[in-house]
Amino acid sequence: MKKFKYFCLTIATAAIVSLSACNNTPTAEKPSAPDTNSTSTAQVTETTTHSGHGSKEKININTAILSELDKFEAKLGVPALSNKIQASRPYANPEDLVNKKVITQEQFDQIKDQVTVQEVILTGEAKDVDYMTKLGLMKGHLLVAQELLDKNLPKQAEPHIGHPVEEIYVDVEEQLNERKVKEFKTTLVGLQDLVKSNPKNAKVKTDFTASVQSVDGAIAVLPEAQRTKPGFVLQVINELLDSANSEYGAAIADGKIAAAIEYQDSRGFVLYANDLYKGISSQVAQDSPDAHKAIETSLSELTKVWPSAIPPAKPVKTPVEVTQLIKTIEQNSQKVIDKSSTQAQR
Amino acid sequence: MPNNFVLGKEQLFSRRQLLKLGIWGAGFAGTAALWHTLNAHSKSIVKVPPLEIAATNQAVKPMQMLRNFDYGVVKQENGRTVREFQLTAGTSVIQLNSAVSYNVWDLNGRIPGPTLRAKQGERVRILFLNNAGHSHSLHFHGVHPAEMDGIRPVSNGSATIYEFDAEPYGVHLYHCHIEPVTRHIAKGLYGMFIIDPPTPRPPADEIVLVMAGYDVNDDSHNEYYAFNGLPHYFMDNPIPIYQNQLVRLYVLNIIEYDTAVTFHLHANFFDVYRSGMTMTPTEKTDVITMGIAERHILEFAFRYPGKYMFHPHQDAIAENGCMGQFEVITDKPSQT
């Protein structure tokens, strides 16, 4: 017993010594070998191996958008599987799809080579949808910022000029470089600073125009054919509406619009989703008249929820009603998206 | 709550037994195998008054959060202990008082977020799902690689995994790091992250207190303040503790917009374990200054029964909600 006690103490001492040693090393090593810290972690190596050696394209079930997840839905023939996968997030590992009863083991075996929870580098259409969605969110923020500036409410406009940089820019920075889009973070930050410190300055107007042009320019990098394809644009629209939905829910308390910022965010996203739909509506009407009718009706119902950039005294619709409209649009878009992707495969 | 060794309520032992077991425990401490044994013992020697908690569907539950620790789900992977936590950001509305309701971002339906707890050296894995509209992230204080620093935005509807070794031991925190960080923190995306030392601390009644501010009109100035989420709550609902029982407070100041506040305890002095990163107290005082995100372990026991207030000594802040009281209950000898 006594020996055991000493043994434990020895281990404890050893642990303490090694721990304090660990604590000291980074400071000691940093100047001489700045890289050791970042490359020694298992996580990094793993990520690089995965993306580097992936013979088959993998889909990250924690982050993928619906249309990407549709690949699994199509392969397994499970209706609404994409939504189910989204609804059961987060996943610690691919096997969680089975543990969380999203699919069966047999179904999992069929797709497991394509499933990951590691960060993946998006490719193809999914990458473009992701890119366009993020820029679309920026557009939404700027649309509502513009309205508030026009109403001479620079204080209220300021957060919406800030959001594109704060929440989105880092996320698309890599893609912007890759697509050779000129950096425009500086433009946005400059505008935000100006609106904050000197909103009356005439430069606000020109800087604002420059910011909007930057975002438009970044969107224009996508091929025209892509930007006008209903199946593509609808994916972006649905991503925007999904964000608008969450923001609207976050804006309302006790049957009142309590958080103006979130109300305005959601307004901006819906405004831009409307703009985008206008560009494809005649094509959708021609190819899928029923879906078009449902989308158009729901969109115009939805738009009424945001009568102005200034929140109405009483919410026009409850968050539940808004969710329902957005769901309808999503379901009908899916029909169009499915159609266009099967056409593409033929 | 998975694997929750929250202190037992019913088993009351005498103080002598507490001391004896404490000494016995100290000699053996230091090995992982014994950690659980010790915790099993500490379960039976600390006296915690039973709590009467009114049912509420609010996201703020100050009383529940006091002694509630989330130990995650323990997994064994490649010979290592992995603690897996799940945090989901959402939106909810809380009632700050009878007249003021406020939209917050919550974590797992709570504000402040759950108090996560692990042991030094364990692998920690946090599955973070963002269902709160804006982009958010979780940034943990502690030592970890840059990739796990949680400053990259996680967009609405998507999830990410943060994984790192729990080090060093201490009282840490986690919070959203999307700008404006002031707003993302003040609207609820934060929580305490305790890493226990390899040698467990002596048994005590462990209590979590988080000080926060609410800027309800977006003017970068707090209108309300609170301990564990609700203004004035612990004034109306004092925290029961036992006389002469060692109390270990885990205190975090996450009040944005105010440079610093103090934590003051009435009619007593407490031992300070700065950032919880030491096993021996660094000072004894009754007022300690805490900047934003500063946190400490404070230990004390009350000699006399009665009610004793605690609050920042920035009295305006206290009066706007950041105050509460302990109710010291007489030790009943019948239980030995």
Side-chain angles (χ1 to χ4, degrees), chain A residues 104-124:
Chain A
T104 65
Q105 184 65 49
E106 291 71 43
Q107 290 169 328
F108 178 69
D109 291 338
Q110 293 177 54
I111 58 164
K112 68 176 173 200
D113 296 346
Q114 290 159 269
V115 181
T116 184
V117 293
Q118 305 266 349
E119 218 177 286
V120 288
I121 293 162
L122 292 172
T123 54

Side-chain angles (χ1 to χ4, degrees), chain B residues 109-142:
Chain B
R110 308 171 35 161
I111 170 174
T115 302
L116 308 186
R117 196 158 179 180
K119 201 184 158 219
Q120 177 170 287
E122 286 173 337
R123 191 78 169 164
V124 173
R125 180 181 299 143
I126 299 103
L127 309 183
F128 172 55
L129 171 64
N130 176 14
N131 274 342
H134 287 259
S135 291
H136 295 296
S137 74
L138 288 182
H139 160 74
F140 282 78
H141 285 220

Side-chain angles (χ1 to χ4, degrees), chain A residues 251-269:
Chain A
I252 293 186
D254 292 343
K256 270 186 273 187
I257 293 162
I261 294 183
E262 275 68 35
Y263 165 87
Q264 288 156 351
D265 280 338
S266 53
R267 172 178 168 86
F269 301 156

Side-chain angles (χ1 to χ4, degrees), chain B residues 5 11 34-45:
Chain B
F5 34 97
Q11 297 121 318
L34 282 173
W35 194 56
H36 277 278
T37 328
L38 273 165
N39 272 294
H41 281 289
S42 66
K43 214 176 194 175
S44 52
I45 49 182

Side-chain angles (χ1 to χ4, degrees), chain A residues 19 62 89 167 250 254 262 265, chain B residues 101 103 120 134 145 157 159 183:
Chain A
L19 276 167
N62 275 330
R89 280 173 185 169
E167 295 183 3
D254 292 343
E262 275 68 35
D265 280 338
Chain B
S101 52
N103 291 72
Q120 177 170 287
H134 287 259
R183 187 165 194 263

